[in-house]
Amino acid sequence: MFDIQFLDLFQGFATLVASEPSIIIGRIFLIFLGLLLIYLGQKGVLEALLMIPMGLGMAAVNAAVLFLPGGQTGTLFLDPLASGTDQVVNELQINWLQPIYTLTFSNGLIACLVFLGIGSLLDVGYVMQRPFRSIFLAICGELGTLVVFPMGVLMGLPVNEAAATATIGGADGPMVLFASLILAPEIFVPITVVGYLYLGLTYGGFPYLIKAMVPKHIRAIPMPPDTARPISASEKIVFAVVACVLLSFLFPVAAPLFFSLFLGVIVRESGLSYFYDLFSNQILYGATFFLGLTLGVLCEASTILNPKVLILLVIGVVALTISAIGGILGGYVLYWLSGGKYNPVIGIAAVSCVPTCAKIAQKVVGEANKNAIVLPHALGVSISGVITSAIFAAVLISMLRAAG
Amino acid sequence: MSEAVLTTINQAIFGYVLMAIIAALCAGIIRLIVILLARTQKAPPVVAPPLTVSVLPAADDPATIAAVIGAAVHATLGAPHRIVSFAEHQPPTANWAREMRSRHHTSHTPRR
């Protein structure tokens, strides 16, 4: 008769019992948080495309901790702390998600692939029809990043981590991932997870903010019929090429992001439909799936439990809220300058999060006036928000790297 | 307020202003591109009034139908073409092999 202990048989339970109390609580909390994310994603409260793989990854990885050779605990998903060529190559042959993490996360490839897909969905014609108004609102929508950067330092974060967290104010998930990988690689997981969680909440939360700041008779203002001429595909391509080269020249550190975004735009406008189908479907959704899944798997209790997470949770929500307020205030400026003809709700689209915030603007305006169509204006502002977020992130990265 | 926070406030304001200037520059470039390329745009073509077409043919004359199809081919393709045969339209599902062969032969065409 062989002798076997219960805890040897069920290692997930054994590692839980053998852990410190904080890890035990953390693992159980994260398992339930993962299940909650799946539920909220399935119900449509949070973005299902990200939250379902992220939630299941988070729940499963915290359940599946086992004893590794040498008596340490870990998982067979991935080891984010693997360093050195030998250890990384060993882990690549053991952990099933290690290739995705090692080859697409640490070099920012996954963020660039998502940006490539987003670029192929963007119609820059909306920005080109009214560039100054769109860019002005987008600049106002970066107010959260401006305010939260020093606020993070005030709350005790090092300057690089505060800057990376502040990019949540730009409301672009891939941008937050890219900036935090460069500026604060040691806490990029909690920053990105917090960023994506809050971005998922914008659709439910921002309408309340708009209604609090804009009275119903102003929300109902219809935008005048558009008299701007349609922008041709050639003009969009010329803009994308010039902007890509110029911004890459100014900020080489963010050139992969600019390149990916504008390559997507050019593919869309040049009629290369095989590439367009590939980037806007398989690449975008494949990258989004692995982004969500890997971020969830990275939320293993012993890796993610960090006192800084609480600070990130606070300044993340402050960043997005102030950016939204800034966008609406910018909308009010245009409202006054136009003599009451511009609907200030369009300013919420400056928070970017393409195309969610543009859809929020149309939804809230549509509730106040069924005949008011603001979506083309809002989409122009939202796309401008992507551009200004990328510029601001590039400025912060360049500035902090130059400062050493 | 500590020195570090004051330095960060200065950095944040400098970064924001720099971002705003570059974004405004982008808006100016966009406007310039739109203005410059607008001059190269051709005048919109004159659209002919829509033709009134009866649903049923006036007469079921095969020679007339052949002439009409021939004229349409000449008008759309330009160069001399010869109509080899007329046949009733078959559902594409019946010809899937031919269709796939055709797609395969044209799959290197970058624009569909």
Side-chain angles (χ1 to χ4, degrees), chain A residues 127-132 135 138-143 145-146 149-150 153-154 159 229 231-232 234-235 238-239 242-243 246-247 250-251 270-274 277 387-388 391-392 395-396 399-400 403, chain B residues 1-2 4-41 103 106-112:
Chain A
V127 185
M128 297 181 74
Q129 283 179 328
R130 44 192 92 80
F132 288 106
I135 294 280
I139 292 169
C140 297
E142 297 297 331
L143 207 61
T145 307
L146 168 71
F149 177 27
V153 175
L154 190 66
V159 68
R229 73 175 176 83
I231 303 294
S232 69
S234 308
E235 290 169 290
V238 170
F239 162 65
V242 171
L246 178 69
L247 293 174
L250 290 175
F251 304 110
S270 56
L272 299 172
S273 48
Y274 289 112
D277 291 344
I387 297 170
T388 52
I391 296 172
F392 205 0
V395 167
L396 288 176
M399 205 164 60
L400 294 179
Chain B
M1 205 175 284
S2 72
V5 176
L6 287 174
T7 307
T8 314
I9 291 173
N10 286 335
Q11 285 178 324
I13 292 172
F14 175 77
Y16 188 79
V17 172
L18 187 58
M19 177 273 295
I21 292 170
I22 295 169
L25 183 69
C26 281
I29 290 172
I30 292 171
R31 176 61 75 199
L32 194 65
I33 289 170
V34 171
I35 291 171
L36 288 178
L37 293 185
R39 294 179 185 172
T40 64
Q41 300 282 317
R103 285 188 66 172
T106 57
S107 62
H108 62 279
T109 310
R111 291 180 175 80
R112 280 184 279 174

Side-chain angles (χ1 to χ4, degrees), chain A residues 320-337:
Chain A
L320 273 178
T321 308
I322 294 179
S323 285
I325 292 171
I328 294 173
L329 291 179
Y332 267 118
V333 171
L334 292 183
Y335 167 76
W336 286 314
L337 287 177

Side-chain angles (χ1 to χ4, degrees), chain B residues 14-103:
Chain B
F14 175 77
Y16 188 79
V17 172
L18 187 58
M19 177 273 295
I21 292 170
I22 295 169
L25 183 69
C26 281
I29 290 172
I30 292 171
R31 176 61 75 199
L32 194 65
I33 289 170
V34 171
I35 291 171
L36 288 178
L37 293 185
R39 294 179 185 172
T40 64
Q41 300 282 317
K42 292 176 184 169
V46 178
V47 180
L51 294 172
T52 308
V53 181
S54 65
V55 176
L56 295 172
D60 191 10
D61 181 358
T64 308
I65 293 172
V68 168
I69 292 175
V73 169
H74 180 75
T76 52
L77 300 179
H81 284 78
R82 185 170 54 176
I83 296 171
V84 178
S85 66
F86 293 124
E88 284 194 16
H89 174 66
Q90 297 291 326
T93 47
N95 296 320
W96 67 269
R98 189 191 305 163
E99 211 173 282
M100 287 307 108
R101 195 160 53 243
S102 163
R103 285 188 66 172

Side-chain angles (χ1 to χ4, degrees), chain A residues 170-333:
Chain A
D172 266 308
M175 195 85 63
V176 175
L177 173 63
F178 189 82
S180 55
L181 276 168
I182 294 178
L183 288 173
E186 56 285 354
I187 61 161
F188 89 89
V189 177
I191 292 176
T192 314
V193 170
V194 166
Y196 271 108
L197 279 179
Y198 285 142
L199 292 184
L201 287 170
T202 52
Y203 198 76
F206 277 179
Y208 295 103
L209 184 68
I210 296 170
K211 287 171 186 171
M213 288 186 68
V214 187
K216 189 174 181 183
H217 70 280
I218 296 181
R219 293 203 301 272
I221 294 174
M223 293 300 289
D226 222 337
T227 53
R229 73 175 176 83
I231 303 294
S232 69
S234 308
E235 290 169 290
K236 294 174 193 173
I237 292 174
V238 170
F239 162 65
V241 171
V242 171
C244 179
V245 174
L246 178 69
L247 293 174
S248 299
F249 183 67
L250 290 175
F251 304 110
V253 72
L257 271 190
F258 292 128
F259 177 81
S260 305
L261 180 72
F262 289 113
L263 179 62
V265 172
I266 292 170
V267 162
R268 172 195 169 93
E269 299 303 335
S270 56
L272 299 172
S273 48
Y274 289 112
F275 284 170
Y276 173 73
D277 291 344
L278 176 70
F279 294 151
S280 61
N281 290 298
Q282 287 86 346
I283 294 281
L284 177 59
Y285 291 107
T288 304
F289 171 76
F290 280 110
L291 178 67
L293 178 65
T294 313
L295 280 175
V297 166
L298 284 166
C299 292
E300 202 253 309
S302 58
T303 310
I304 198 177
L305 280 188
N306 187 325
K308 288 174 183 169
V309 171
L310 197 60
I311 300 175
L312 302 183
L313 284 168
V314 172
I315 62 178
V317 73
V318 172
L320 273 178
T321 308
I322 294 179
S323 285
I325 292 171
I328 294 173
L329 291 179
Y332 267 118
V333 171

